[in-house]
Amino acid sequence: MCQKKNSTGKHDKGCAKLIGAGMQLKDDAAAFVESIKEDAEDIKAEAAYNKSEAAKA
């Protein structure tokens, strides 16, 4: 990874940019997973409601 062996300013900036991009990607992926989880919970609730309405009919 980004080690401090004969680092130049350019190298340090490149490492910081790469690490920042990786952290942003992780955050984006976590938000995406959370939205999928919420959608699945909505679908489950809707299915349960539809099932209860069908049982009433």
Side-chain angles (χ1 to χ4, degrees), residues 18-55:
L18 181 64
I19 291 170
M23 291 174 71
Q24 181 64 47
L25 183 61
K26 178 189 73 89
D27 292 344
D28 291 348
F32 179 68
V33 168
E34 187 63 30
S35 71
I36 290 174
K37 181 182 173 186
E38 290 171 359
D39 289 346
E41 290 169 351
D42 290 346
I43 292 168
K44 181 181 175 182
E46 186 177 350
Y49 173 79
N50 290 340
K51 185 177 180 179
S52 69
E53 288 296 311

Side-chain angles (χ1 to χ4, degrees), residues 3-15:
Q3 298 176 356
K4 200 71 172 160
K5 291 183 182 176
N6 298 325
S7 291
T8 63
K10 215 179 220 184
H11 179 262
D12 290 345
K13 287 179 184 177
C15 286

